[in-house]
Amino acid sequence: MNLTKNVEILGVPGVARQLTVNDTSAATQLTSGVKRISIRAVTADVRFLIQTTSGTASGTSHFIAAGERLDFAVPDAGYICYIRNASTNGTLEVTELG
């Protein structure tokens, strides 16, 4: 993944997504032109990946704790892949920032 372009530090809020997180890995494609995302885990700890193609999150993927918010630069039309970390289902709130 090559993210060498300048990115507006705040970005303009775009699509808001509420992704259901359970014991099966899922992947959601981000909107073309999105440069950053802000994610927040609700109710459950989540494992996730951000990449250029659809994939599978696992127990060794990146971690976000329930109630935590993280911001990332993302590849154009990239994917976020996600799965719960333990036995509790939850929601991954994703705000796309142009």
Side-chain angles (χ1 to χ4, degrees), residues 32-94:
S32 180
V34 167
K35 297 178 178 87
R36 293 175 48 96
I37 60 171
S38 182
I39 64 174
R40 181 172 180 266
V42 181
T43 312
D45 298 340
V46 176
R47 296 287 181 165
F48 69 95
L49 297 171
I50 297 170
Q51 53 193 38
T52 58
T53 60
S54 184
T56 303
S58 70
T60 59
S61 298
H62 301 291
F63 177 84
I64 183 171
E68 184 176 13
R69 177 177 296 279
L70 298 172
D71 299 328
F72 297 96
V74 295
D76 187 42
Y79 286 80
I80 184 163
C81 311
Y82 45 93
I83 191 168
R84 70 183 189 201
N85 184 60
S87 60
T88 303
N89 293 340
T91 302
L92 187 63
E93 297 275 354
V94 178

